[in-house]
Amino acid sequence: MISLAPTSLSNTGSDAADGVFPRRLRHEAGELLIANEPRRIAVISTGQLDCATTLGVVPVAATQGHGTGVFEPYLTHIYPHLARELGSLTDLGDRKAPHLDVFRALKPDLIFMNLAGDRKENYAALSQIAPVVVTRGKGFNWQVDFLLMAHALGRIEKAQAFLDRFHADSAAANPRLETVSFIQSNGKRLTIMGRQSFVGTIADGLGLRRPEAQSFEATSRNIEPHEIGAVAADWIVYAGQGDGLDLIRSMSGWSDLPAVREGRAVEVDYQPFFNNAGATAARIVLDQLVGLLKE
């Protein structure tokens, strides 16, 4: 089984106590000195925006998510007191090719980017603007990345308390021992989620059973509209962007699935479940799965 979460970092992080600056930080691309408490941070991924907001630090700028704006609406629902700041985020463009001139104009004091997914040439260019903290990226690393961001921002205790509650609630959940299927669509393709996906690791931590077709050790797999057997399970959790919901519901045999006929196919918010590997998104996923499947 994939580990639900680490309780501490290994080979990365800072030895400084919360609130102490300057602090030396070991990250995924080496080591850097953060001279002062960051006040103007910029992030390259939606997961980093989520994690920073969870820690109470709203960035001044962020790149756009896949098929979304510069921030995810669920964040303002969970943190209404931060809605004004989130609504004032500067758009840095696509995360694979962020607008470097906008970065320079903003004069951030710290930048976060991912090792996975972000182009390596961005690191060199961004490092000329401000210190850059590199996290791992990929959904199954969300807790390591959350802790590393907390170490950089001097908010380790807050992050650890969040994860401790997350672990305790997951361990105490005692959900039904029924199979759960996860499927999503962006309107162009149908995708089932494996055990190393963001939602897959949370399900694993809860001890949920997955259908055989979704028990693979990878993030996801695209399927064809006729592959309804890959979706079948006692419960189906699904979401879509654009025409995604129509594409899922038009799959051959969808309406004949027992879970669909018996009201056990549940539509969820695409963003926290399938498009955002952050701490608050994880809490939303955990709470909804527990509420859905509790004994």
Side-chain angles (χ1 to χ4, degrees):
M1 180 180 290
I2 300 166
S3 175
L4 177 62
T7 56
S8 62
L9 294 174
S10 176
N11 302 319
T12 59
S14 174
D15 297 326
D18 278 357
V20 175
F21 292 88
R23 65 198 294 117
R24 192 160 294 280
L25 182 81
R26 300 174 299 279
H27 62 115
E28 298 297 334
E31 189 172 305
L32 61 81
L33 181 69
I34 302 175
N36 301 296
E37 182 176 4
R39 301 290 185 185
R40 295 177 58 79
I41 71 170
V43 298
I44 307 273
S45 85
T46 53
Q48 291 170 343
L49 173 59
D50 176 310
C51 288
T53 303
T54 305
L55 293 169
V57 181
V58 179
V60 295
T63 56
Q64 294 182 18
H66 298 293
T68 66
V70 72
F71 75 95
E72 311 296 354
Y74 74 83
L75 288 174
T76 57
H77 297 157
I78 301 297
Y79 305 110
H81 61 292
L82 299 177
R84 183 183 295 275
E85 291 178 77
L86 287 164
S88 300
L89 279 167
T90 297
D91 187 347
L92 295 170
D94 185 271
R95 69 181 181 85
K96 293 183 179 180
H99 301 316
L100 296 180
D101 55 336
V102 179
F103 268 102
R104 294 187 188 95
L106 282 170
K107 298 182 179 179
D109 48 28
L110 194 65
I111 299 170
F112 290 93
M113 67 174 287
N114 279 332
L115 186 66
D118 294 336
R119 295 180 178 178
K120 291 182 179 180
E121 56 263 32
N122 287 337
Y123 178 71
L126 293 171
S127 295
Q128 299 300 312
I129 300 171
V132 179
V133 176
V134 180
T135 60
R136 293 181 184 180
K138 294 189 179 297
F140 57 85
N141 287 321
W142 73 267
Q143 293 174 87
V144 173
D145 290 351
F146 181 45
L147 281 173
L148 182 55
M149 291 186 70
H151 276 249
L153 296 170
R155 302 196 176 206
I156 303 167
E157 290 186 7
K158 186 167 186 176
Q160 195 60 64
F162 181 99
L163 291 178
D164 288 345
R165 288 194 301 271
F166 186 92
H167 284 248
D169 291 346
S170 181
N174 193 32
R176 293 186 183 99
L177 296 178
E178 297 176 320
T179 55
V180 183
S181 169
F182 297 104
I183 179 172
Q184 55 106 338
S185 175
N186 61 1
K188 299 177 181 178
R189 57 183 178 273
L190 296 159
T191 305
I192 54 174
M193 310 309 293
R195 295 181 64 209
Q196 287 189 8
S197 64
F198 176 64
V199 70
T201 57
I202 296 171
D204 247 18
L206 282 167
L208 300 182
R209 294 171 53 222
R210 304 295 304 283
E212 185 176 351
Q214 296 181 22
S215 294
F216 52 88
E217 299 291 341
T219 300
S220 62
R221 180 169 72 84
N222 293 336
I223 61 172
E224 298 298 325
H226 65 271
E227 294 184 80
I228 195 66
V231 180
D234 297 318
W235 290 83
I236 299 172
V237 175
Y238 70 100
Q241 278 186 310
D243 296 328
L245 290 175
D246 290 338
L247 190 57
I248 292 171
R249 291 166 179 161
S250 65
M251 289 184 71
S252 177
W254 171 262
S255 59
D256 294 324
L257 290 171
V260 175
R261 292 200 314 266
E262 297 166 17
R264 288 180 279 105
V266 181
E267 180 189 344
V268 295
D269 185 347
Y270 185 92
Q271 300 307 328
F273 271 78
F274 301 114
N275 200 36
N276 201 322
T280 293
R283 187 74 232 192
I284 290 171
V285 172
L286 178 68
D287 289 346
Q288 290 194 23
L289 289 179
V290 169
L292 189 68
L293 298 164
K294 64 184 178 183
E295 294 285 2

